Amino acid sequence: MMESVLVANRGEIARRVFRTCHAMGIRTVAVFSDPDRAAPFVREADEAIALGGSRSADTYLRSDLIIEAALRTKATAVHPGYGFLAENADFARAVLDAGLTWIGPSPDAIARMGSKLESKRLVAEAGVPTLPSADLSDLTGDGLGDAVDEIGYPVLIKASAGGGGKGMRIVATRDALESAVAGARREAEAAFGDGTVFAERLLTSPRHVEVQVFGDSHGNLVSLHERDCSIQRRHQKIVEEAPSPAVGPDLRIRMGQAAVAVARAVEYEGAGTVEFLLSGDDFAFLEMNTRLQVEHPVTEAVTGLDLVRCQLLVAAGESLPPEALEPRLDGHAIEVRLYAEDATRGFLPVAGHLTRFSVPLQPGVRVDSGVESGSDISVFYDPMLAKVISHAPTRREAALTLAAALQRSQIHGSVTNRDLLVRILRHPEFLAGRTDTGFLERHDPADLGGPLPSAADAGEMALAATLFAHDARRADAPVLGTLPSGWRNNPSDPQTAAYEGRQGPITVRYSFGAGGGSASLDDADPAGFAYDVVDDVVHLEVAGRRRAYRVARTGAVFDVDGPTGHIRLVENERFPSPSSATDSGSLHAPLPGKVLSVTVTTGDEVKAGDSLLVMEAMKMEHTLRAPVSGTVEAIHAAVGDQVEADAALIVIREESDA
């Protein structure tokens, strides 16, 4: 068995590998960029080496720096995790050439399956069905259009060298093809260091089902059952489960056999995933990922295996353990990916600072997280915060357990997709197993991703925040602290607190009397209340119903967690600054990033919704569109500029103002 392992990755996958290594008595080494210096995975390694720099291209994509770190720390093996260089054959070969053990398949297998064009050819030769596709390398103009015309629209433009939704574009017409291909090439180059893309026939709302395969150097190659990853946004999975509700015993055998045939075509060793699109009982090969997948915990839950341990055993030349050769299928597991992003605004990623991050520990729930309370969410990397996984005897129980754990989680300091995930898990279609890749097209993410608490719940939570602040003021004032809670020298004069939140403005008017208090929300009829505060919890009784609300305050910001979910409230200033108003005709940067292109010039006439500028942030391209119709009056950004969040980029004089 190897003595020490360097993980050439970051975040939750690094922590995941470290956990298994430590359990097996293996020393661990981390590498880290400047933004990750204080990240949890760095502290948890036995030793950590700074790569220097912030961008992926300068750090986690630098194979020379990573191998140098391994040699410097006398690591004996390298685990690539997933993403970055995990499926880079040249990196795997360089690791082996340096005399280190590579924890993954052979460089040849990575190269042959890493090129999605080459893998489709190999798979077809193995007798596994594939989708029509076309290589777009070096094609432009009419040549590009003619190649895609042979497939037929709609098509999906895909990066040949990577996955995770990076370098992907849906194209419905020839007119939109060239710009989509150019954008996909840029994004693929930035994410994977390879801008090669191809076009593939796009199926409308199939299921996305993948099979976990595992091989060793002793001739064993097995299927560890399937996962259903159909619910996606931006072609990236956000909900995964095992087994698939659409796959019965016979289909499971057929798909497992096809996946093993694909892996056997390249003499595969280690962990890999063969992905299929499924329609009814018919399936077609999509791609093979020659690494551990983000969603591997659901397979671990239903099989009882530690897949990282299996990787380490196989890399050390040992056979797969007996329990992997005849894998069990126990119960049902569901995983969700918790992102710092706003589902109500097109899944816009959000940078920031997590003042609190806590998922309740309970039986059947697992959390693989790259962050903790106090972590910063960097603009340089994917905004995934954690994977939360549930395992239960039945699918319904797993879904409802996971939804409850998410709803009770305390996540402060950033907008997340938590409320979207809760609503998906409780959705009748999901609970009935009727999921496919079009789920979030049929069900508007802007509706599913809105705050879980209702307007009435939000008002009560605002009252809890108000009472929490009221008690804090009493505690800070020696004289008031000796008086009964809520005492005022003019009991008939109500106090007012006003807040802004994602639910909109909320105004609380409240007063106290001898028998308790009375409050009204947004000028509604007043209702009586009673309360007490213990530490950071407000126990509030309104109309005979008692609820507990946990309140955290940071300046004018209140984070309130209760039985129905979480809200973030910002206390209104008494006298707002005129500078807080935003010009409705200005296009602002939604987050920090780099300007890639500006498609207008001063004086151009534009319509609301027209594309004006493209910027790159958090490993994705974001097209910014005109907020109003009018004339471009000023442009404050140029290609290559690094801009801060909320910076005014383009100013438009509205038509009504002309």
Side-chain angles (χ1 to χ4, degrees), residues 281-356:
D281 285 342
D282 297 324
F283 57 88
F285 173 80
L286 185 62
E287 64 187 32
M288 182 176 186
N289 293 293
T290 54
R291 53 174 167 83
L292 201 64
Q293 291 280 87
V294 178
E295 57 273 22
H296 76 273
V298 294
T299 295
E300 293 186 325
V302 297
T303 62
L305 296 168
D306 182 331
L307 296 187
V308 173
R309 176 175 178 269
C310 291
Q311 285 186 299
L312 298 173
L313 293 174
V314 168
E318 299 185 30
S319 298
L320 283 168
E323 58 270 26
L325 299 178
E326 295 184 6
R328 74 187 194 196
L329 186 55
D330 175 28
H332 203 96
I334 304 175
E335 171 185 295
V336 293
R337 303 190 192 187
L338 186 63
Y339 283 96
E341 64 182 16
D342 191 343
T344 67
R345 300 177 62 200
F347 297 103
L348 187 71
V350 180
H353 179 75
L354 290 173
T355 56
R356 180 175 293 180

Side-chain angles (χ1 to χ4, degrees), residues 217-258:
S217 59
H218 300 272
N220 297 308
L221 188 52
V222 297
S223 161
L224 301 181
H225 309 308
E226 83 285 349
R227 300 185 286 255
D228 196 310
C229 309
S230 297
I231 296 185
Q232 305 175 3
R233 60 97 174 98
R234 287 181 171 171
H235 314 293
Q236 190 173 50
K237 310 157 190 173
I238 57 172
V239 180
E240 301 108 352
E241 57 182 310
S244 168
V247 175
D250 292 340
L251 182 56
R252 178 168 297 118
I253 292 172
R254 288 173 50 215
M255 295 187 77
Q257 290 173 340

